Amino acid sequence: MAKQWLLDQKGYDALLTEINQLAAIINAENAGSALGIKPYEHTTTVDFYSNRMTILTDSLSRLYEVKENCQIISSEKSSGPMVQTGDVVELELVCGTLNKTMCVTLTNGFGKPKDGTVAVTLNSPAGLAIYGAVVNGTGSYNVNGTTYRFTVLKIVKPELTEGQGLNK
């Protein structure tokens, strides 16, 4: 059974915007290829371009999965702000003896994370678990048989950096 995401209207609108932006990027690159334009010819390798397209299409597929399995709730019913792509999130991560507070940037598979954070993509188990989580909410994800539990402490203003004491 697919995971059910709870999004408020603002989060759902942001999801639709992100789907449209990713689809436009993929369509532009595919259209260029169909016209014989090779975007990788002077800047990178064919393998890099192929990997980039795989990441973009996988990210779009994940976003469509979220869209198909989401429920829109009113802002009053949510227990706090919901994590969306592009957000910088402060998490408390617990696994066995590991208990760490860290900042992550939830990305859609391209672009760079904000300064002082770790990138977590929607293609990862952590990204899928964090996406749509609410502040003060908890969740978990599995990687190679290990379960990681997290609590979303807050969504941090993007302009704050590690130098301002976010990572502990």
Side-chain angles (χ1 to χ4, degrees), residues 79-102:
S79 58
M82 294 180 185
V83 178
Q84 307 298 320
T85 56
D87 285 346
V88 176
V89 183
E90 187 173 353
L91 301 173
E92 179 180 17
L93 187 63
V94 178
C95 176
T97 59
L98 171 73
N99 188 345
K100 182 176 182 177
T101 300
M102 62 188 297

Side-chain angles (χ1 to χ4, degrees), residues 3 5-7 80-84 91 128-139 150 152 155:
K3 177 181 175 180
W5 280 273
L6 300 175
L7 299 174
M82 294 180 185
V83 178
Q84 307 298 320
L91 301 173
L128 286 171
I130 295 167
Y131 186 79
V134 296
V135 173
N136 297 321
T138 61
F150 66 88
V152 177
I155 299 174

Side-chain angles (χ1 to χ4, degrees), residues 37-49:
I37 299 169
K38 298 176 182 164
Y40 52 82
E41 194 168 61
H42 298 291
T43 58
T44 186
T45 66
V46 174
D47 288 339
F48 179 84
Y49 176 75

Side-chain angles (χ1 to χ4, degrees), residues 88 90 101 103 154 156 160-162 164-168:
V88 176
E90 187 173 353
T101 300
C103 283
K154 62 183 171 181
V156 181
L160 298 178
T161 63
E162 183 180 77
Q164 293 167 305
L166 291 179
N167 287 340
K168 297 178 172 91

